[in-house]
């Protein structure tokens, strides 16, 4: 192993300038490629894509359209619907649908720019709006009137011919036959007119209905039993209240992120166009897609702010630790590793999520750590009088296996994140594994090649990096001296009373594990995104006006959706769900505080509120007569026959609520599909599934909360197996894990003490502590065994390890802590809390390796060694390869 790292470093220092130039070019190319990354803030980054519910939701979106962009129309509903404003709303809905040729939606006027682009892009799967609903109602009424008029005329002719024939057989002359024919025809027309009178009386019509007929519109929209123009409850998805109307734009599910962003921008542009300005109302664009789009835009800004802040803070930290010219070399390596890693992410078609942005400070911290560790080894060799070239190769030979083992164990800890049900967390782990590999490779090659270019001659550890600059640094030097005294005292305490130290550490860890069960996970999406996000404010307006802000859908699959038994079950199921969640009574309302769910468009609603269920023939007739505008919302189409397919939809509107509360609501909907009692179950062959992004988010949050302890245990196991594979020694594998195990408990105790909750990203707390603490623990443990093999006593080995490698560990830990602390300036609470949690994690990890690790090493050698008594490998002979390589390079 030593030979491999020595050869790799040897090739780098043989031609240091080309190596440095090549590394810089790779980093620049990676950074340029990374600029092409698209941000992805979709809710599906927080859900389990491998679940059956995810597949069912994707199928639903392909058939019925994606989650809707909601255009809230605020204003007095009576004035909106009973004035000329309704015509402007109709034009706007046509514009958003993208169906008007060239985007021209108002005759005699040029097409608004947004409408023209929407007509070209056609991003909407379907648009449901109050004006289009009424317009279709009018057109369908006229069509039915025309059909009935033609049918009445045909029947009148038929009856007249039959009456004339009967009169002829009865011996009437031609005049009598004509009178009989006219009488029969009149009876048919009288019956037709009677039906029209009944219909007109019911709706208060004096002529054929039209969109600008206030009496007709009022009879359709408003509940005649109530005063104050209160809309009918069954049209709540179009007319949520007497002060609002709702236009829903379901986008196509096959849109790219860029097309979705463009479509939302065009919708916003359209509603602000003067041609659609209302006299009695205003528009607000909202809905889940707008929040996602706004968050994606925020993230694209955050990444540059966070990167700049992290670099500045780390540069300051390194400047305080190192002297020139090497003070910023670890940061340069870290920047190069970040550029290459994110460049690879771009080349493989990845995207930026909240988690991948959080990778930046983690990766930079780890890369700085590797560079500092090699630089510390290099500085030691220079202190001994070696030339820069010899020092670089010897640093690789001595430090490569140790730092490489730590990096491998860290990567194993991060790989455990693949067990998470959250795609964002899984990608977080994979990207960190890639980053660890890149950072280590750069530290061995670029770092050592750069160090080999420093001046020849003897060098000291202080000159090469670890003392505070004296000019103007007296105060900082005093602080560092004080910290050094504390460190030496802590080490002396661990050596003197190791069992007491371990006992106290264990008690605190156990207390932390118990307290950790009381640390909650934030499950309200509104608390995870920036509070200043305009789209979030719009969602609040939407919920205040309508009582709901999201949608849960139930897909019903049946061999024959026109079966009256299927329709009856769907209607009963919808009623049970609504009644169980507060929507009920004589005059139900979505805006009541106790109402958790509201009716949206559903197949049973197309058949009105008539008593009983229509026959199969009547159901098919109604579906055939319905315009596509209505039917495509609730039932799919059989592509072979053009008739009804096998999937219908029952949609419910829901409020924004914490995921745990949302989970209980969704579980209740699922329970109502087949509740106890055979009478309420679905008919044979009928299945129903609850789908939608709210369902996926609630399920994923539940899984996340239940498996975070599994991730911690799996992380420990992964690191243990990795170290066992590397060292083939139980002692060497398990001893470094002792402070790591304790650190997980301490971290939980700290979270509980400060009242800091977890979120979907910081819930990876245990795995993250393990992966990062492994780095510190393995490096210090390996250095201790090196000193012991060199013949030093136990105490002297610990003091030498902590005075040399311990200083480098502290420097890298402080730099990593500074990088993570940068996340605290983020407006995205998920990132901000993640940064604070990780700062705490790093602090306890550092405390663990500084206090618990030496106590563990002493305790193991002082009487607990029998617990780890499997045979060690024989001590390896000093490698000759590196010596020959050093000698050859020193002659150059």
């Amino acid at each position: 192993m030593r030979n491999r790292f020595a050869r790799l470093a040897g090739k780098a220092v043989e031609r240091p300038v080309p190596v440095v130039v090549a590394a810089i070019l790779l980093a620049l190319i990676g950074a340029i490629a990374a600029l092409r990354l698209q941000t992805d803030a979709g809710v599906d980054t927080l859900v389990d894509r491998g679940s059956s519910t995810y597949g069912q939701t994707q199928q639903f979106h392909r058939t019925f359209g994606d989650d809707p962009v909601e255009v809230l129309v605020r204003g007095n509903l009576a004035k909106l619907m009973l004035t000329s404003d309704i015509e402007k709303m109709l034009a706007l809905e046509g514009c958003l649908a993208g169906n008007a040729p060239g985007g021209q939606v108002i005759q005699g006027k040029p097409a608004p720019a947004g409408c023209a682009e929407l007509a070209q892009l056609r991003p909407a799967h379907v648009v449901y709006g109050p004006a289009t609903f009424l317009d279709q109602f009018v057109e369908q009424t006229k069509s039915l009137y025309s059909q009935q008029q033609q049918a009445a005329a045909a029947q009148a002719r038929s009856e007249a011919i039959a009456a004339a024939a009967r009169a002829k057989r009865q011996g009437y002359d031609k005049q009598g036959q004509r009178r009989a024919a006219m009488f029969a025809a009149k009876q048919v027309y009288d019956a037709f007119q009677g039906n029209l009178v009944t219909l007109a009386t019911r709706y208060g019509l004096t002529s054929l209905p039209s969109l600008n007929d206030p009496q007709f519109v009022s009879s359709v929209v408003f509940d005649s039993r109530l005063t104050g123009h209160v809309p009918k409850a069954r049209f709540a998805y179009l007319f949520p209240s007497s002060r609002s109307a709702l236009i829903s734009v379901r986008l196509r599910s096959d849109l790219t992120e860029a097309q979705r962003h463009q479509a939302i921008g065009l919708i916003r542009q359209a509603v602000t166009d003067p041609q659609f300005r209302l006299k009695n109302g205003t528009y607000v664009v909202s809905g889940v897609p707008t929040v996602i789009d706004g968050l994606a835009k925020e993230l694209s800004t955050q990444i540059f702010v966070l990167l700049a802040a992290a670099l500045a803070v780390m540069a300051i930290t390194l400047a305080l630790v190192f002297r020139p010219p090497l003070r910023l070399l670890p940061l340069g390596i870290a920047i190069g590793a970040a550029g290459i890693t994110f460049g690879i992410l771009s080349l493989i078609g990845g995207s930026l999520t909240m988690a991948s942005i959080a990778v930046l400070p983690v990766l930079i911290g780890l890369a700085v750590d590797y560079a500092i560790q090699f630089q510390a080894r290099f500085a030691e060799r220079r202190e001994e009088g070696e030339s820069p070239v010899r020092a670089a190769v010897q640093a690789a030979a001595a430090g490569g296996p140790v730092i490489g083992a730590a990096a491998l164990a860290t990567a194993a800890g991060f790989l455990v994140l693949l067990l998470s049900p959250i795609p964002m967390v899984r990608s977080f782990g994979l990207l960190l594994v890639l980053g660890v590999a890149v950072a280590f490779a750069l530290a061995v090659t670029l770092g050592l090649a750069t160090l080999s270019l420093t001046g020849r001659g003897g060098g000291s550890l202080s000159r090469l990096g670890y003392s505070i600059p004296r000019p103007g640094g007296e105060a900082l030097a005093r602080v560092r001296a004080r910290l050094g005294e504390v460190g030496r005292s802590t080490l002396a305490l661990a050596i003197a009373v190791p069992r007491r130290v371990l006992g106290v550490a264990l008690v605190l860890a156990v207390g932390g594990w118990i307290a950790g069960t009381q640390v909650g996970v934030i499950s309200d999406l509104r608390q995870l995104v920036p509070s200043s996000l305009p789209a979030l404010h719009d969602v609040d307006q939407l919920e205040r006006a309508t009582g709901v802000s999201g949608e849960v859908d139930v897909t019903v699959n049946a061999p024959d959706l026109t079966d009256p038994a299927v329709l009856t079950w769907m209607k009963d199921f919808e009623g049970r769900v609504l009644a169980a969640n507060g929507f009920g009574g004589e005059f139900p309302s979505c805006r009541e505080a106790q109402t958790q769910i509201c009716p949206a468009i559903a197949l049973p609603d197309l058949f009105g509120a008539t008593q009983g269920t229509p026959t199969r023939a009547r159901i098919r007739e109604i579906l055939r007569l319905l315009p596509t505008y209505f039917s495509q919302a609730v039932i799919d189409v059989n592509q072979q026959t053009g008739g009804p397919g096998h999937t219908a939809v029952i949609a419910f509107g829901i409020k924004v609520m914490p995921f745990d509360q949302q989970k209980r609501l969704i579980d209740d909907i699922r329970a109502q599909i087949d509740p106890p009692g055979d009478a309420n179950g679905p008919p044979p062959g009928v299945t129903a599934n609850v789908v939608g992004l709210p369902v996926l988010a609630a399920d994923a949050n539940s899984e996340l909360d239940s498996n975070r302890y599994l991730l911690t245990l799996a992380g420990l196991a992964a690191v243990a197996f990795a170290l066992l594979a590397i060292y083939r020694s139980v002692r060497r594998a398990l001893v470094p894990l002792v402070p790591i195990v304790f650190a997980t408990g301490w971290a939980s105790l700290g979270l509980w003490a400060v009242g800091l909750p977890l979120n979907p990203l910081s819930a990876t707390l245990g795995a993250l502590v393990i992966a990062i603490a492994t780095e510190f623990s393995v490096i210090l443990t390996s250095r201790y065994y090196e000193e012991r093999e060199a013949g030093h006593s136990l105490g002297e080995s610990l003091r030498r390890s902590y005075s040399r490698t311990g200083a480098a560990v502290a420097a890298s830990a402080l730099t990593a802590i500074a990088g993570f602390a940068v996340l605290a300036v983020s407006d995205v609470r998920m990132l901000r809390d993640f940064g604070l949690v990780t700062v705490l994690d790093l602090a306890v990890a550092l405390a663990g390796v500084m206090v618990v690790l030496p106590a563990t090493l002493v305790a193991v050698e002082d009487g607990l060694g029998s617990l780890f008594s499997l045979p060690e490998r024989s001590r390896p002979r000093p490698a000759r390869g590196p010596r020959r390589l050093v000698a050859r390079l020193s002659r150059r």
Side-chain angles (χ1 to χ4, degrees):
M1 182 66 73
R2 289 173 178 263
N3 288 345
R4 294 193 189 100
F5 287 112
R7 283 196 295 270
L8 180 61
K11 292 180 180 179
V13 301
E14 276 185 318
R15 302 177 182 274
V17 175
V19 169
V20 172
V21 172
I24 293 174
L25 286 177
L26 279 176
L28 289 175
I29 293 171
I32 294 172
L35 293 176
R36 299 172 53 248
L37 285 168
Q38 298 292 324
T39 53
D40 183 5
V43 179
D44 59 346
T45 63
L46 298 172
V47 303
D48 184 2
R49 298 183 184 179
S51 68
S52 59
T53 304
Y54 181 81
Q56 293 160 0
T57 298
Q58 293 300 99
Q59 180 60 44
F60 168 77
H61 286 163
R62 285 191 293 268
T63 305
F64 297 99
D66 218 331
D67 286 78
V69 175
E70 305 285 9
V71 180
L72 173 66
V73 188
R74 297 185 301 177
N76 186 294
L77 189 60
K79 292 182 178 180
L80 288 171
M81 305 308 298
L82 304 179
T83 66
S84 60
D85 278 346
I86 193 172
E87 296 178 354
K88 293 186 177 181
M89 291 170 60
L90 179 64
L92 174 61
E93 291 166 22
C95 167
L96 300 180
N99 294 328
Q104 185 177 13
V105 291
I106 300 179
Q107 190 173 4
K109 293 185 178 182
C115 298
E117 293 185 58
L118 283 168
Q120 183 177 4
L121 181 62
R122 295 183 68 87
H125 182 89
V126 66
V127 175
Y128 301 108
T132 306
F133 166 78
L134 289 169
D135 185 63
Q136 290 288 324
F137 199 109
V138 167
E139 292 302 318
Q140 189 66 9
T141 302
K142 289 180 178 179
S143 175
L144 288 174
Y145 172 77
S146 176
Q147 293 177 17
Q148 291 179 6
Q149 187 181 43
Q150 293 174 9
Q155 184 181 1
R157 286 195 298 270
S158 176
E159 292 292 335
I161 293 172
R166 285 195 302 272
K168 183 178 180 180
R169 287 196 300 270
Q170 294 172 2
Y172 286 92
D173 57 11
K174 291 185 178 181
Q175 186 175 2
Q177 294 172 23
R178 281 196 301 272
R179 284 197 300 268
M182 291 175 61
F183 180 78
K186 184 175 182 302
Q187 283 187 314
V188 173
Y189 280 117
D190 285 346
F192 173 65
Q193 293 295 333
N195 290 335
L196 290 180
V197 170
T198 302
L199 187 63
T201 302
R202 180 179 177 184
Y203 290 100
L205 301 175
T206 57
S207 61
L208 282 177
S210 64
L211 193 61
N212 55 10
D213 182 350
Q215 195 168 6
F216 164 73
V217 173
S218 181
S219 65
V220 174
V221 175
F222 300 112
D223 193 332
S224 60
R225 299 172 299 171
L226 300 172
T227 59
H229 293 98
V230 177
K232 297 175 180 177
R234 65 192 183 99
F235 294 142
Y237 61 95
L238 293 171
F239 312 104
S241 72
S242 59
R243 302 288 305 174
S244 62
L246 204 58
I247 303 172
S248 299
V249 184
R250 282 195 173 274
L251 300 177
R252 297 196 335 255
S253 62
D254 60 345
L255 294 179
T256 64
E257 288 298 321
Q259 290 173 328
R260 193 179 305 275
H261 175 74
Q262 180 187 3
I264 293 173
L266 292 174
I267 292 172
R268 294 186 185 278
Q269 180 181 348
V271 300
T272 59
D273 192 276
Q275 293 193 38
F276 307 125
R277 186 173 298 135
L278 303 172
K279 294 180 181 179
N280 303 289
T282 57
Y283 301 110
V284 176
V285 179
S286 184
V288 172
T290 65
V291 175
I292 294 172
D293 183 68
L295 184 56
K297 183 178 179 181
E298 181 76 12
L299 289 180
S300 63
T301 303
Q302 286 277 336
I303 188 170
F304 295 106
V305 174
L306 291 174
L307 179 59
L311 294 180
V313 170
M314 286 186 167
I316 293 172
T317 305
L318 291 172
L320 295 175
V321 176
F322 288 93
R323 282 181 179 273
L326 304 175
R327 58 174 60 176
L328 296 183
L329 175 59
L331 186 59
I333 293 173
I335 294 173
I340 294 173
T341 300
F342 280 86
I344 294 173
L345 177 65
S346 176
L347 293 176
I348 63 177
S351 59
L352 287 177
T353 65
M354 284 186 283
S356 57
I357 291 176
V359 165
L360 268 176
V362 182
L363 176 57
I364 290 175
L366 290 172
V368 166
D369 182 36
Y370 301 146
I372 286 178
Q373 294 300 332
F374 277 112
Q375 189 165 328
R377 298 277 182 165
F378 175 84
E380 290 177 19
R381 298 301 184 270
R382 293 284 284 134
E383 189 179 40
E384 295 170 358
E386 298 288 354
S387 69
V389 172
R390 290 172 61 90
V393 176
Q394 289 176 353
V402 175
I403 303 169
L408 186 60
T410 299
F414 284 135
L415 279 175
V416 169
L417 296 177
L418 294 179
L419 298 176
S420 172
I422 309 300
M424 183 173 67
V425 174
R426 294 199 294 267
S427 64
F428 175 73
L430 282 176
L431 195 58
L432 279 174
V433 171
L434 174 63
V436 164
V438 173
F440 180 79
L442 285 183
V444 175
T445 55
L446 172 62
L448 292 176
T450 304
L451 289 171
S452 71
L453 292 172
T454 58
R456 292 179 177 274
S460 67
L461 187 63
S462 62
R463 277 219 324 268
L464 289 172
Y466 290 106
S467 67
I468 301 294
R470 290 188 179 278
E474 290 82 1
L476 291 174
R478 286 196 297 271
V479 171
R480 177 168 181 173
R482 180 58 180 162
L483 292 175
E485 292 177 6
V486 172
R488 286 189 292 273
S489 300
T490 302
L491 181 61
L493 179 66
I495 295 175
V497 286
R499 288 175 175 78
R500 292 184 183 180
V501 170
L502 291 175
V504 173
L506 178 60
V507 169
L508 290 175
V510 171
W513 295 326
I514 296 173
T517 61
Q518 305 303 313
V519 177
V521 178
I522 293 178
S523 60
D524 192 335
L525 186 62
R526 290 170 296 187
Q527 297 182 34
L528 298 177
V529 302
S531 58
S532 59
L533 196 67
L536 192 62
H537 175 68
D538 295 338
V539 166
D540 290 337
Q541 290 192 69
L542 175 65
E543 183 164 310
R544 284 195 299 270
T546 67
V548 297
S549 55
E551 182 177 298
V552 170
D553 300 284
V554 178
T555 57
V556 178
N557 296 281
D560 183 6
L561 289 170
T562 64
D563 184 348
V566 175
L567 195 65
T568 299
W569 176 83
M570 292 176 65
K571 188 174 182 179
D572 292 343
F573 164 74
E574 182 184 18
R576 289 197 304 271
V577 171
L578 294 173
N581 292 281
F583 187 87
E586 186 178 2
F587 303 109
S589 172
C590 294
R591 302 177 69 193
E592 296 293 336
Q594 71 273 15
T595 303
Q596 297 295 315
I597 198 167
C598 290
I601 193 167
L603 179 61
D605 298 340
L606 298 182
F607 303 95
T610 57
Q611 297 295 325
T613 303
T615 63
R616 180 183 274 106
R618 180 58 178 163
I619 294 172
R620 291 178 176 176
E621 180 185 3
I622 293 175
L623 291 177
R624 180 179 58 82
L625 292 175
L626 279 175
T628 304
Y629 171 77
F630 289 114
S631 61
Q632 65 183 341
V634 294
I635 192 169
D636 68 338
V637 177
N638 188 316
Q639 298 299 325
Q640 296 180 347
T641 65
H646 300 287
T647 304
V649 176
I650 302 173
F652 299 99
I654 64 170
K655 303 176 185 292
V656 174
M657 62 185 72
F659 287 144
D660 53 350
Q661 183 180 348
Q662 191 168 289
K663 172 66 173 173
R664 290 193 294 270
L665 174 63
I666 290 165
D667 286 344
D668 180 73
I669 297 175
R670 287 171 170 153
Q672 295 296 339
I673 291 175
D674 192 5
D678 297 337
N680 293 324
V686 175
T687 59
N689 299 292
V690 188
V691 299
L693 289 184
V695 181
L696 294 172
D699 287 350
N701 180 78
S702 177
E703 292 183 25
L704 178 68
D705 192 40
S706 62
N707 82 344
R708 55 185 167 126
Y709 300 107
L710 174 63
L711 287 180
T712 300
L713 294 175
L716 287 171
V719 170
F721 280 120
L723 294 177
L724 191 59
I726 293 170
Y727 294 121
R728 300 178 185 175
S729 164
V730 174
R731 175 185 295 181
R732 291 291 298 270
L734 296 187
V735 167
L737 291 181
V738 175
I740 298 173
V741 172
F742 287 169
T744 61
W746 296 356
S748 296
L749 184 62
L751 288 179
W752 174 79
V754 300
L756 187 63
L758 299 176
N759 59 50
L761 190 53
S762 60
T764 60
L765 163 72
L768 199 60
V769 171
I770 292 166
I772 296 175
T774 295
E775 175 76 17
F776 303 153
S777 189
V778 169
I779 288 175
L780 278 169
T781 303
S782 298
R783 183 56 184 262
Y784 166 77
Y785 284 122
E786 286 181 21
E787 297 295 341
R788 290 289 280 158
E789 290 175 0
H792 298 293
S793 66
L794 185 153
E796 182 63 20
S797 296
L798 284 173
R799 282 187 286 272
R800 290 173 66 88
S801 298
Y802 277 82
S803 65
R804 294 170 177 252
T805 302
V809 166
S812 60
L814 290 175
T815 307
I817 287 174
F820 279 110
V822 168
L823 290 175
V825 306
S826 174
D827 290 336
V828 183
R829 181 170 180 177
M830 181 179 285
L831 293 179
R832 184 172 66 249
D833 286 358
F834 175 73
L836 295 174
V837 167
T838 312
V839 166
L840 177 63
D841 295 350
L842 281 169
V844 299
L846 183 60
V849 297
M850 292 301 179
V851 179
V852 174
L853 181 60
T856 303
L857 291 169
V858 173
V860 167
E861 291 205 19
D862 193 30
L864 300 181
S866 59
L867 298 177
F868 306 93
S869 58
L870 289 183
E872 299 282 346
R873 287 183 300 170
S874 59
R875 184 178 301 173
R877 295 181 180 179
R880 297 179 179 179
R883 291 184 178 181
R884 291 199 301 269
L885 182 60
V886 168
R888 180 168 59 84
L889 290 173
S890 64
R891 294 194 295 269
R892 292 179 62 85

